[in-house]
Amino acid sequence: MSYPIPAAICKTEYEIKKSRFIAWAAYAPDREAAMQLLSQAKSEYPDARHHCWAYLLGNPASAASAAMSDDGEPSGTAGKPILNVLQHKGVGDVMLVVIRYFGGIKLGAGGLVRAYSSAAQQVMEQLEIQQRVAMAEFTICCDFSQEQFLRHWLDQVQGQVIDIGYSHQVQVVISVPESEAGGLPDVASERGWNLLIAE
């Protein structure tokens, strides 16, 4: 299943009543990558009062996982509005961090919700996206003489080697676009590869 994902990190800045809201949106295929972006934002803006965030992992139509944090802002005024924007943008595997520098003027709960929503909205509108290609994993056992051909075939179909092991044969775990996976059994039987479908 293919769906849109961020193509590159995008950063925007928004100011309201002297409070600065710096929004970052980037590709995050898993929670670990999302948390990495958060710590990057914290190290770049260590003196900011809040680093609020939300992420949406997997297909945006039925996200595998979603989470958010108000990071010290009143409950429901930051993480939830950020997540809300993500849920309406149709982009998956995305982490959005909004960094806030307090400007001395209180915005009130409604004002905060609007400010965090606007910051998130702005960065998502400027975010470059690309299609995620659904991949399928297989394990192939083949003779050493076949390894070069296998690598060549993977290059042609935009596949990749995930893991490789050498014993009396070469055992290769590969990942190929689902659109190409249908042709693999034919190539395997033609070449004498032992093809196992990864669980």
Side-chain angles (χ1 to χ4, degrees), residues 14-82:
Y14 169 77
E15 196 171 308
I16 182 164
K17 293 185 180 171
K18 297 188 177 164
S19 271
R20 274 172 72 209
F21 293 86
I22 301 155
W24 287 21
Y27 174 62
D30 51 40
R31 184 179 164 83
E32 198 182 330
M35 293 302 104
Q36 215 169 330
L37 187 76
L38 177 63
S39 51
Q40 193 184 329
K42 283 181 173 176
S43 67
E44 249 183 74
Y45 301 96
D47 53 340
R49 187 174 281 199
H50 305 282
H51 299 83
C52 307
W53 56 268
Y55 65 65
L56 201 62
L57 306 182
N59 185 339
S62 55
S65 166
M68 63 190 173
S69 164
D70 293 313
D71 190 35
E73 290 283 31
S75 180
T77 61
K80 201 169 184 199
I82 297 169

Side-chain angles (χ1 to χ4, degrees), residues 31-192:
R31 184 179 164 83
E32 198 182 330
M35 293 302 104
Q36 215 169 330
L37 187 76
L38 177 63
S39 51
Q40 193 184 329
K42 283 181 173 176
S43 67
E44 249 183 74
Y45 301 96
D47 53 340
R49 187 174 281 199
H50 305 282
H51 299 83
C52 307
W53 56 268
Y55 65 65
L56 201 62
L57 306 182
N59 185 339
S62 55
S65 166
M68 63 190 173
S69 164
D70 293 313
D71 190 35
E73 290 283 31
S75 180
T77 61
K80 201 169 184 199
I82 297 169
L83 183 60
N84 210 3
V85 168
L86 291 183
Q87 287 168 329
H88 289 90
K89 287 294 174 188
V91 176
D93 294 334
V94 60
M95 170 66 162
L96 205 162
V97 183
V98 180
I99 300 127
R100 180 189 181 198
Y101 281 94
F102 182 54
I105 301 167
K106 285 198 157 50
L107 300 178
L112 282 173
V113 169
R114 281 190 298 277
Y116 278 103
S117 293
S118 300
Q121 191 82 26
Q122 211 176 55
V123 76
M124 287 305 287
E125 276 163 11
Q126 291 186 31
L127 182 69
E128 237 180 279
I129 56 169
Q130 63 188 26
Q131 281 299 112
R132 172 191 173 273
V133 178
M135 304 291 275
E137 266 188 32
F138 299 91
T139 301
I140 289 177
C141 295
C142 63
D143 292 332
F144 293 97
S145 60
Q146 289 291 319
E147 185 187 342
Q148 210 42 53
F149 181 83
L150 172 59
R151 286 181 183 274
H152 177 66
W153 181 80
L154 283 171
D155 281 345
Q156 287 179 315
V157 299
Q158 266 87 54
Q160 56 200 33
V161 171
I162 294 173
D163 193 27
I164 192 158
Y166 299 96
S167 54
H168 61 289
Q169 272 195 319
V170 185
Q171 185 167 336
V172 194
V173 180
I174 62 167
S175 173
V176 295
E178 275 179 7
S179 54
E180 300 290 344
L184 184 54
D186 294 344
V187 179
S189 67
E190 197 182 294
R191 288 274 160 181

